[in-house]
Structure formats: C-alpha cells, structure tokens
Amino acid sequence: GSGGIGHCGDMSRRYIRDVALGGDHTVVLSSNRKDVITFGKGGEGQLGLTSKPWVSAPMRSKVLSSKSPNIAAVCAFKNCSMTLDENGNVKGRAGKCSMDLKGVRKGLEYCLKMAREGGLIQDIREDDVSIE
C-alpha cells in the first residue's frame, strides 16, 4: 500500500473537523472525533509517533487519538501537539508541551480562542456571559 490516509481505519468516508499547523508539522482531527492524523517534522515527538523524525504521508497518531469520540479540537505550535475536549481542557499532548516552555502557554491560549470562535469547543468564560 501507499501508506496514505486511506489506510488509517478507512478514512475515505470521514471528513476533517479541525486542522492545526505547528512549526513544521500538521495535526488533523477526523470528523469521528477519535482519530488524530499527523505528518511533518516529528523529531521532538510532536507527531505522537514513536521514533519518527519526519513523516511525509499522514499517519494516525496513537498518542493523540482516542478510543471514544471525545476530542473536540487539535492544537499545534512549535514542537508540541495537543488535543482538547469540548470544554477546552487538554486531553492529550505530544512533543515538548511543558507550560514552562516559551510559547506553549501563548500557543494554547491562541488555539483555545480559535476553537471557541470556530464553535469547536464551548465558550464557558464568565466574562462573556451577558444577562438580559
């Protein structure tokens, strides 16, 4: 086989729910909200694939994917990938994702903002609630 996206548990009938672009890698969430597909540079573990410095063909990430349909959005920045639940909580992570690292917290904040604006996660911030 070609190792393409069609070999990821028959992705042919699925659609893309979310896409995130990191420094040199891409993270894709399937519409089934379980399968996370990654490709690109993976030297820091950000693809969630063991010992893969570079992946040109999209592959299902066992680290980031879930057995149940509970992933609402994906994030990617620098050498880090994350998955979020519908409330915006971090479910999974791969790569250098420590909140102490420069850019990770800011990247996550931006990802949460974009996921809220896109309607992928619930907007439960109290400061946005208006009472009529």
Side-chain angles (χ1 to χ4, degrees), residues 42 45-55 59-63:
Q46 63 267 45
L47 301 180
L49 305 168
T50 52
S51 67
K52 298 275 187 185
W54 179 261
V55 175
M59 293 182 69
R60 182 178 181 276
S61 170
K62 288 182 181 170
V63 172

Side-chain angles (χ1 to χ4, degrees), residues 32-35 65-71 91:
N32 70 5
R33 297 185 60 182
K34 296 189 291 188
D35 294 323
S65 295
S66 176
K67 287 182 171 45
S68 55
N70 54 13
I71 302 171
K91 282 191 54 50

Side-chain angles (χ1 to χ4, degrees), residues 4 25 42 44 56 67 72 78 81 96-97 100 102 114 131:
H25 72 292
E44 305 295 337
S56 57
K67 287 182 171 45
K78 297 201 179 232
S81 302
K96 295 195 171 180
C97 298
D100 300 336
K102 185 180 177 187
M114 297 306 292
I131 299 168

Side-chain angles (χ1 to χ4, degrees), residues 5-6 8 10-21 26-39 58 71-75 118-120:
I5 203 160
C8 298
D10 188 27
M11 294 289 288
S12 60
R13 291 191 180 91
R14 296 196 195 137
Y15 298 94
I16 293 171
R17 177 179 168 92
D18 194 19
V19 177
L21 306 175
T26 303
V27 182
V28 179
L29 175 60
S30 168
S31 60
N32 70 5
R33 297 185 60 182
K34 296 189 291 188
D35 294 323
V36 176
I37 312 302
T38 58
F39 56 96
I71 302 171
V74 289
C75 304
L120 297 175

